[in-house]
């Protein structure tokens, strides 16, 4: 979910083209929640901070994630609601919808950053793409956010050699 928030809510470049944050209605469909303008603004601010976790500077990432954990009152607790069995949430009582989502994402990123796989968080290395990813490959050598970026890069290299 952290990758989705960062890639959806931060402007930049995607697959060789400029990327702008989509309108509120599209974001609502992606996130499965009717968002208000305030929700979008809050989430966009948090997404920009979450992006830091993927940039490769572990010290800066940990400092930023710690700040987010405090700001969102992230703390684990078990809850059973809406007819669902007991399950774990990572946000404090009374938080905003965006803050609660960010608390969960920040907690997940804190677990990754505090473990041996902190180097599995990355930014696409394709030209004109700055989308983030989590490398879940067996050998940990992923470099691209998508197959499209990988193919685009390999095609450009092939054409350059020809």
């Amino acid at each position: 979910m952290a990758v989705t928030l960062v890639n959806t809510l931060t402007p930049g470049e995607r697959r060789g083209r400029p990327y702008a944050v989509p309108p509120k209605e599209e974001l609502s469909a992606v996130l499965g929640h009717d968002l208000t303008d305030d929700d979008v603004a809050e989430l966009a601010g948090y997404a920009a901070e979450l992006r830091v976790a993927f940039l490769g500077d572990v010290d800066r990432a940990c400092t930023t994630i710690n700040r987010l954990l405090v700001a969102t009152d992230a703390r684990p607790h078990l809850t059973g609601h809406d007819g669902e069995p007991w399950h774990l949430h990572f946000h404090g009582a009374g938080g905003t919808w965006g803050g609660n989502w960010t608390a969960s994402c920040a907690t997940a990123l804190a677990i990754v950053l505090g473990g041996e796989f902190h180097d599995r968080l990355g930014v696409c290395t394709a030209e004109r793409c700055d989308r983030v990813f989590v490398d879940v490959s067996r050998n940990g050598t992923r470099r691209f956010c998508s197959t499209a970026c990988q193919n685009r890069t390999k095609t450009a290299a092939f054409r350059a050699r020809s």
Side-chain angles (χ1 to χ4, degrees), residues 75-91 101 104:
R75 56 188 171 146
H77 64 277
L78 291 165
T79 184
H81 58 85
D82 302 327
E84 294 182 27
W86 287 94
H87 57 281
L88 198 55
H89 279 234
F90 291 99
H91 54 79
W101 267 104
S104 294

Side-chain angles (χ1 to χ4, degrees), residues 22-75:
K24 174 177 62 175
E25 295 74 27
E26 285 182 45
L27 291 173
S28 293
V30 169
L31 300 176
H33 179 77
D34 287 331
L35 298 172
T36 65
D37 290 333
D38 289 341
D39 290 335
V40 172
E42 179 184 32
L43 281 170
Y46 284 140
E49 290 189 83
L50 290 170
R51 175 178 274 284
V52 172
F54 297 88
L55 302 180
D57 181 343
V58 177
D59 292 335
R60 181 175 170 218
C62 290
T63 300
T64 301
I65 294 300
N66 276 339
R67 187 174 54 249
L68 283 173
L69 291 170
V70 170
T72 59
D73 193 24
R75 56 188 171 146

